[in-house]
Each structure stands twice: as structure tokens, then as C-alpha cells.
Amino acid sequence: MRDLLNRCNDIYGQSECCHDDPERTCYCIDCLQQGFYGNQDMYSCLKKLCSYTMNYGPCYASEIYNFLQTDRLLENNYLNQEIKILSLGCGFCPDWFGFDKYIRNNTLPVMFKYEGRDIEPLWDHLRVGVNNANIVCESVLNGFTLAEFDIILINKLFSTLKANNMHNQFLDILTTEIQTSMKIGAHLIFNDANHIDKGRDVFDTAVSQYFSVKRQYKFNLDNAYGWSYRNINLTNNVFEYPEGLTFTPKPDVTKSVVFVYKR
């Protein structure tokens, strides 16, 4: 994680603003917030990706770590196994960092191979430290198979698809693959914003009928929605990060849900 953040900081300092407006002050956090709260949520600027990763990298990876600590998914299902993980819309692979750190910190007898898919080629400039992984630069809307994967992650992807009105196409592909190629006993993990406008309920309604087991969590932050969701009370960032970054990483997790489904 330190190597990832240092690389992002170096690239950020060397990159020019992607806007052609000379009057604009280049401050990428503003663009991130405008994308999240507006109608377009795109990640096609290298400087913006660097600021995004510095700001959210440790906390997004910590969300996966803290979920695993609470749910005990690996201990209850995958000890003494080599598993295959698929991350749709993987970005800088925060889920890889979360799984890797959790397995190492708890000395679990679990090995994993990781495959990520993401449409944005600029992420390739940032990813460091991610090993035993195969990253495919391709849109999830071009289709994919869930065959042979034990864990499928949809991590901070669906809200972006919904903001760009691509979510229904994605759900058509996903639900078809759940029914036709997903292994019995495999798990699907959805992690995204705990907000009705970001697609949380749309996703759950579309996929729930295809699974035998469902567990729904929310991070237990102030005014977090979901009285029926289980609480994840571990909300701190568990990763160390270097000093002197252009953007100081967020110290705790975001107001998110984690839904886990078992086929």
C-alpha cells in the first residue's frame, strides 16, 4: 500500500491538469466530488486517478479487510484451499490489498489467484504491489464468465454504472452468468455506497432470488441506513501510509454496505 500511494503521489506531481481552462485551479478532489454527487462518474484522467487512490485507497481496502474480519468468510469456507477471485471494475485493486493483508495478518492457510477487469487503461500506470494477479483491460459490459471463480467482487462499480445509466445492461449480463456459469457454493460480494440513489437496493432486488444465502452488512457510522443490516463495527483504516502525500488518506471507512451472497 505504501508503494502504491508513493507512486500515485509521484505521478500526481508530474502530471498536468486535464482541463483546458486556464482560469481553473486544478484540484482533483473537486472533480471526484462532482462526479460522485453529479450525473457523470468517470475516471479517465491520470491525475484524478492518483488523487482518488491517495484519498480512498487505504480506506477502500480496509473495508474489505474489516468485512472479512467480521464475516469470517474465509475461515468458514476456504481454509486449506487455493481460491480464485474475480473483481469486476477492479481499478487499483483495493480488494486484492484487503484479502492479501487479512490472510497474512491472520496466518490463514488460504492462497488466492486474482483476476481483475476494468475498462480504464490508465489504472495500469498506478498498480504496484499486486502480485499473483491477471488484470484484463476490458469493459464488464462486453461480457464475462463466473465459471471457476470462488469469490466474485463488485466493489465500488455499480454506483458508477448507475450514474452513467449502464447498470441495467450490467445486471442483465450478471444475472445470466449467475444462473449459467457461477459455481454452486461460490460467493458474490457487493460493496458500494449505502445510499438509495447509488443503486444499493436495485442491485439487491435484481440478484437476491438466485442465491441460497444472503448476509447484509453496513459500516456502523453515524446515521448509516439499514436497521436490518448487520453492523460492521470495525471502521478504522488498517493500512499504514507514508507521510507527505499530496492528499492525506481518509482515516476511516466510507458509509458503505457489503452484501454477500452464496450460490
Side-chain angles (χ1 to χ4, degrees):
M1 180 60 72
R2 294 176 64 88
D3 291 343
L4 171 70
L5 297 177
N6 277 326
R7 182 170 181 82
C8 288
N9 194 59
D10 290 344
I11 293 175
Y12 183 90
Q14 298 167 10
S15 300
E16 297 182 357
C17 181
C18 65
H19 300 100
D20 56 8
D21 181 357
E23 307 261 329
R24 178 188 291 268
T25 299
C26 187
Y27 188 66
C28 295
I29 296 298
D30 288 343
C31 284
L32 292 175
Q33 292 177 342
Q34 290 167 11
F36 183 81
Y37 293 107
N39 294 322
Q40 295 293 314
D41 190 13
M42 304 299 289
Y43 297 89
S44 56
C45 166
L46 185 57
K47 197 167 187 177
K48 181 179 178 180
L49 295 185
C50 290
S51 61
Y52 175 88
T53 306
M54 281 186 279
N55 195 50
Y56 294 112
C59 75
Y60 281 176
S62 295
E63 289 178 14
I64 298 299
Y65 184 101
N66 291 337
F67 157 73
L68 291 172
Q69 185 76 58
T70 301
D71 185 77
R72 315 292 284 182
L73 174 73
L74 296 178
E75 291 90 335
N76 292 333
N77 297 275
Y78 297 112
L79 293 184
N80 301 304
Q81 296 184 43
E82 180 178 80
I83 61 176
K84 295 183 68 174
I85 296 175
L86 173 65
S87 178
L88 298 174
C90 62
F92 64 90
C93 306
D95 37 27
W96 184 96
F97 286 97
F99 270 86
D100 180 70
K101 184 175 180 65
Y102 184 77
I103 290 169
R104 287 188 294 105
N105 281 9
N106 293 279
T107 59
L108 296 183
V110 178
M111 299 184 67
F112 72 93
K113 293 182 178 179
Y114 178 98
E115 180 172 312
R117 287 178 174 266
D118 200 289
I119 192 175
E120 181 49 65
L122 291 177
W123 285 118
D124 290 342
H125 295 278
L126 307 187
R127 295 188 197 99
V128 292
V130 178
N131 53 54
N132 202 24
N134 176 37
I135 309 298
V136 179
C137 184
E138 186 174 0
S139 171
V140 296
L141 301 182
N142 289 345
F144 49 84
T145 178
L146 307 182
E148 299 184 5
F149 291 102
D150 302 287
I151 297 174
I152 299 97
L153 292 134
I154 301 172
N155 190 22
K156 312 298 185 184
L157 168 68
F158 195 72
S159 55
T160 297
L161 293 175
K162 190 172 186 300
N164 293 283
N165 199 30
M166 300 173 180
H167 59 295
N168 287 325
Q169 184 181 352
F170 173 75
L171 285 174
D172 287 342
I173 299 169
L174 178 65
T175 54
T176 297
E177 291 304 316
I178 289 170
Q179 297 173 79
T180 60
S181 68
M182 188 174 179
K183 295 195 305 184
I184 299 298
H187 291 84
L188 174 69
I189 299 172
F190 171 85
N191 179 23
D192 217 316
N194 188 4
H195 194 290
I196 189 172
D197 293 339
K198 297 301 178 180
R200 172 200 66 206
D201 300 335
V202 173
F203 182 87
D204 183 57
T205 298
V207 306
S208 287
Q209 61 186 303
Y210 304 114
F211 293 95
S212 61
V213 176
K214 176 175 73 173
R215 298 185 295 278
Q216 295 181 302
Y217 294 94
K218 70 176 186 296
F219 285 98
N220 192 19
L221 302 173
D222 289 345
N223 300 314
Y225 171 84
W227 64 267
S228 64
Y229 301 160
R230 307 180 192 185
N231 282 332
I232 299 177
N233 294 316
L234 305 171
T235 58
N236 291 332
N237 167 25
V238 301
F239 287 85
E240 295 181 0
Y241 52 83
E243 297 181 356
L245 297 173
T246 304
F247 300 101
T248 301
K250 194 175 181 301
D252 47 23
V253 301
T254 63
K255 193 175 289 187
S256 300
V257 295
V258 184
F259 298 160
V260 55
Y261 307 88
K262 183 177 182 180
R263 186 82 169 109

